[in-house]
Amino acid sequence: MAPIFCLFLVLITEFSLATAQQRNSIISLGSSLSPASSNSFWSSGSGQFAFGFYPNGDGFSIGIWYATIAPKTVIWTAKRDDPPFHRDSKLLLGDDGRLVLRQGEDPEITIAGGNQTGSSASMLDTGNFVLYNSRSEIVWQSFNAPTDTFLPRQKLRQFAEPKELFSSVSKDDHSTGKFRILMQEDGYLAQYPADSPNLVEYGYWDSGIHGAGNNVTLNFDDKGQLYLLNTSGNIKNLYDGGDVSDKLMYRMTVDADGIFRVYSYGLNRSDDDWTVEWSSSSNKCLPKGLCGQNQYCSLMNQEAVCTCLPGFVLIDEGQKDLGCNRNYVRNGNVSFNFDELDNVAWLENSYSTLHNKSKFACKDECLKDYDCEVVLYKDEKCMKQKLPLKFGRFQLNDQVTTLVKVGSREFKKEKQSKVLIVSVAVLSVAFTVLAISGVLIYKYRVKGYKKLLNGGNDELIEEFILRSFTYGELEQATNGFGEVLGKGASGTVFKGILSNSKRAVAVKRLETVVAEGEREFLNEMKVIGRTHHKNLVKLLGYCHDGTNRLLVYEFMSNGSLADVLFKSETKPRWEERVRIAVNVARGILYLHEECETQIIHCDIKPQNILMDERHCAKVADFGLSKLMNPNQTRTYTGVRGTRGYVAPEWHMNLAITVKADVFSFGIMLLEIICCRRSLDPDFAEAEVILADWVFHCFDSDRLDKLVQDEKVDKSKLERMVRVGIWCIQDDPSLRPSMKKVVLMLEGTVDIPTPPSPTSFISSI
């Protein structure tokens, strides 16, 4: 019964269409329109639709629009890619039944008709403009030649015209745009870039299989229902439509952004604009080709933003989606390195693929190959690419790294002589300064080393070497370990004063260490001692005296970040909190990527961030994880780190990488934003777990709840929150590197909308 019923509905629709056509006024042969006169369009019987001239730039176009809705919504355009027509143009329904355009002495342009002789025309209340023959049969209709919009009663067919719709360039420019939707012969309704073949790698959306069979059509009815139907009566609903009692008008449009949407407009309601009822996707970066060559699309505040590859600049500053070109000239004088992009998908068009390669080896192979301009690296595969790259989109689950070969700019020849002269002058001055400096440095170094040999100056020792202390020296410096500054999993910290320099220091006594030899301990001291960054607490020396293991650090006079956030009567101002977050991120970035030996901290938390006399935040306790016994560092369920800050991979037997520190930093960043602990039972039940509460506020667009009465710029607050949510993703591969974190916090890169942090765990 279902197939019979569906066919019956189709017949009823066709009958209703024929009946409606008879109710509309007839346009007879010889009738004409002109944009220069008051007679510039023909209306449908009810006045709802109009066909004729409408303003377009400095001229006019011919199309169909809703005559009762402002602003003008154009649903069909004739000769959409032609230049606008002149003001003195004339549209004429000629004696042969063709609708033609005349512009002065220019040749006539056929707008409609041509294959069969017409005798009249009509603008129907369905939005369809038709030409009739003498027997009142339709010989041409706009419904069979759609542009970017479908109206109720239109069909997209599998084996007959029309088969596809093309988007417009923009709301105001109805020329053919970048995207199309196609009713394919395999029964799929699919979307592609406008100028691409119908191949899987070019498609970006489809309706899915519905047991299609033959002669599948896309149908759109008066209730706004959008569905696929075949001759067997099988239906696949895309949108169920609205309530007919609402008296809504519907249209379906392939918009300029590549997404096709069903819109409604209420006849009996106060709406002053079209409402989106359904869309093929909510991801505005989904359409392939939205951004031009050598660009990738990412979401910023739910809007698509096109960004150039590193080392590339916009082709046209006025058209930010047109694409990008290199900002340097390739020749033998250019040196190259690589910039990396994570989770950006491209149209894969490799000319060479190498297997079982490390990322370093992949870069090396590309440097040796002149044709290699970009490499896509994934699963130890090295896929060499030539430019341009196409269809770039930020895509979380892609997990591919884009390695971009970047070169320095070439100096122009006319500047080379000037550069040479300036360079010689600078070098001459530099050699003179070096000579004088060398003498002074030699003088003071010799003097300094003499003092060292004579058991002298502690301050000079600290500038040149990592000092080895005896246990007795540190016992004396701390007055018998009398003043405790703090106690943690790794040991107790005491305040001390170095005897000669009178410099205040912090002495940490490691209470349980790995039973290892002196050489191993000294090697770890050398690694920590070689770290030098303004956002790291400086290690001044150590004690390896029998079973005693002590570390001597610079003294941080303003306590820990935990004191600042959780114990202070007045919380730090927003600008101060942002500065603290950026400083900590820079310190961790140094440990991960910039120091001689990579260090994974394993215990990032506010208690391990210390504040100096200028309130500059510095990371403490780095490099200690290898020194501690497992039962000392695993302070929560057998996991290293501190409860509330440990990354999920500790619990899942996954490899521990620098991304574990990124997770801990993300939790701490949320604490910095909100000035509260990550786990606090004193809050309401929904707010106890800070990470969950922050994502709820972000997802519901109520970020103001996180800072309460504090006045904070909403865009800056959202940027900080987005960074925090990306950092605490359960899937380590989704978390950004600390380099990316620093760039995002500084506001120099776009931050896509993060997913729910627990989506990875919940899917396992």
Side-chain angles (χ1 to χ4, degrees), residues 562-608:
D563 299 329
V564 174
L565 294 179
F566 311 139
K567 298 180 181 179
S568 176
E569 292 183 0
T570 58
K571 64 182 180 182
R573 293 180 298 106
W574 172 256
E575 292 77 12
E576 175 68 11
R577 303 203 309 268
V578 172
R579 186 169 65 85
I580 289 171
V582 173
N583 284 340
V584 174
R586 288 172 178 164
I588 301 173
L589 169 61
Y590 176 85
L591 295 176
H592 287 184
E593 299 185 25
E594 297 172 2
C595 64
E596 186 174 331
T597 302
Q598 184 186 72
I599 296 175
I600 304 177
H601 191 291
C602 292
D603 198 15
I604 297 291
K605 58 183 178 180
Q607 291 79 0
N608 284 337

Side-chain angles (χ1 to χ4, degrees), residues 151-367:
L151 296 179
R153 306 185 188 182
Q154 280 190 269
K155 296 180 181 180
L156 208 58
R157 296 178 172 86
Q158 189 177 10
F159 296 110
E161 297 298 333
K163 292 184 178 180
E164 56 190 343
L165 300 177
F166 287 84
S167 68
S168 292
V169 171
S170 69
K171 269 189 175 182
D172 300 318
D173 184 350
H174 302 112
S175 305
T176 303
K178 295 181 176 181
F179 306 99
R180 62 194 174 101
I181 186 168
L182 170 70
M183 190 68 251
Q184 297 184 154
E185 293 185 1
D186 60 5
Y188 277 80
L189 182 69
Q191 288 191 270
Y192 297 92
D195 57 355
S196 69
N198 302 337
L199 299 176
V200 172
E201 57 266 35
Y202 291 89
Y204 61 86
W205 181 90
D206 65 66
S207 59
I209 298 173
H210 73 289
N214 294 323
N215 294 321
V216 179
T217 58
L218 174 67
N219 297 265
F220 193 34
D221 66 20
D222 290 322
K223 290 180 61 177
Q225 185 178 22
L226 193 67
Y227 59 94
L228 296 172
L229 176 68
N230 67 10
T231 51
S232 301
N234 292 326
I235 293 178
K236 178 181 176 66
N237 278 335
L238 300 179
Y239 171 59
D240 288 335
D243 187 344
V244 72
S245 64
D246 289 340
K247 295 186 178 179
L248 302 178
M249 291 185 292
Y250 292 95
R251 64 179 172 91
M252 188 209 84
T253 301
V254 181
D255 286 325
D257 62 3
I259 296 172
F260 83 92
R261 299 176 175 91
V262 174
Y263 292 89
S264 70
Y265 195 99
L267 298 178
N268 293 338
R269 64 187 190 189
S270 59
D271 299 50
D272 59 358
D273 202 355
W274 291 90
T275 300
V276 176
E277 297 287 349
W278 178 85
S279 63
S280 58
S281 176
S282 60
N283 179 4
K284 292 188 177 181
C285 275
L286 179 69
K288 292 181 177 178
L290 186 69
C291 296
Q293 64 180 28
N294 306 320
Q295 284 183 313
Y296 62 94
C297 181
S298 58
L299 294 176
M300 188 69 173
N301 297 325
Q302 301 300 320
E303 295 299 322
V305 177
C306 295
T307 304
C308 290
L309 282 169
F312 287 67
V313 293
L314 291 171
I315 294 173
D316 184 346
E317 286 287 344
Q319 299 184 63
K320 297 189 182 298
D321 61 351
L322 188 61
C324 304
N325 286 332
R326 295 189 195 90
N327 64 355
Y328 64 92
V329 178
R330 288 189 82 189
N331 61 23
N333 297 323
V334 177
S335 59
F336 294 98
N337 53 26
F338 286 89
D339 271 351
E340 298 185 14
L341 291 174
D342 289 327
N343 299 317
V344 176
W346 304 91
L347 175 65
E348 204 282 303
N349 190 24
S350 307
Y351 71 88
S352 175
T353 300
L354 307 175
H355 297 271
N356 300 318
K357 293 288 184 181
S358 67
K359 189 187 294 184
F360 177 82
C362 190
K363 292 178 181 180
D364 188 54
E365 291 287 346
C366 187
L367 284 174

Side-chain angles (χ1 to χ4, degrees), residues 668-686:
M668 186 174 67
L669 178 59
L670 301 184
E671 293 181 319
I672 293 172
I673 293 170
C674 303
C675 287
R676 54 153 288 192
R677 299 181 188 276
S678 62
L679 298 170
D680 195 333
D682 292 336
F683 282 85
E685 182 178 354

Side-chain angles (χ1 to χ4, degrees), residues 467-688:
R467 180 176 173 182
S468 174
F469 292 89
T470 66
Y471 183 79
E473 287 176 312
L474 297 183
E475 187 175 33
Q476 180 182 357
T478 59
N479 194 22
F481 302 101
E483 185 177 351
V484 176
L485 296 176
K487 184 177 177 65
S490 57
T492 305
V493 182
F494 305 90
K495 184 175 181 180
I497 303 292
L498 296 181
S499 57
N500 290 340
S501 66
K502 305 302 179 183
R503 177 176 183 174
V505 294
V507 179
K508 168 167 283 197
R509 183 167 61 196
L510 303 179
E511 295 176 351
T512 306
V513 297
V514 176
E516 58 181 6
E518 181 176 1
R519 177 179 296 177
E520 286 75 12
F521 180 83
L522 294 178
N523 285 339
E524 292 302 321
M525 290 301 97
K526 289 178 182 178
V527 169
I528 301 173
R530 283 196 292 267
T531 57
H532 298 285
H533 192 276
K534 67 178 182 178
N535 297 120
L536 298 180
V537 177
K538 186 177 181 180
L539 180 67
L540 304 176
Y542 62 90
C543 170
H544 185 284
D545 191 345
T547 59
N548 296 307
R549 303 286 190 275
L550 297 97
L551 306 177
V552 181
Y553 291 101
E554 62 176 318
F555 179 70
M556 305 292 283
S557 59
N558 279 306
S560 70
L561 178 58
D563 299 329
V564 174
L565 294 179
F566 311 139
K567 298 180 181 179
S568 176
E569 292 183 0
T570 58
K571 64 182 180 182
R573 293 180 298 106
W574 172 256
E575 292 77 12
E576 175 68 11
R577 303 203 309 268
V578 172
R579 186 169 65 85
I580 289 171
V582 173
N583 284 340
V584 174
R586 288 172 178 164
I588 301 173
L589 169 61
Y590 176 85
L591 295 176
H592 287 184
E593 299 185 25
E594 297 172 2
C595 64
E596 186 174 331
T597 302
Q598 184 186 72
I599 296 175
I600 304 177
H601 191 291
C602 292
D603 198 15
I604 297 291
K605 58 183 178 180
Q607 291 79 0
N608 284 337
I609 308 300
L610 304 182
M611 313 297 291
D612 69 8
E613 66 277 4
R614 297 185 301 276
H615 294 276
C616 178
K618 299 188 178 186
V619 181
D621 273 10
F622 55 88
L624 299 187
S625 59
K626 291 183 180 180
L627 301 179
M628 306 307 298
N629 274 332
N631 61 351
Q632 283 296 106
T633 57
R634 296 179 181 179
T635 60
Y636 175 58
T637 62
V639 176
R640 272 185 190 171
T642 302
R643 179 180 181 179
Y645 300 93
V646 292
E649 52 263 37
W650 285 107
H651 304 277
M652 301 169 65
N653 295 321
L654 298 177
I656 302 303
T657 67
V658 292
K659 293 299 183 71
D661 283 351
V662 174
F663 181 92
S664 301
F665 173 81
I667 294 293
M668 186 174 67
L669 178 59
L670 301 184
E671 293 181 319
I672 293 172
I673 293 170
C674 303
C675 287
R676 54 153 288 192
R677 299 181 188 276
S678 62
L679 298 170
D680 195 333
D682 292 336
F683 282 85
E685 182 178 354
E687 302 176 31
V688 169

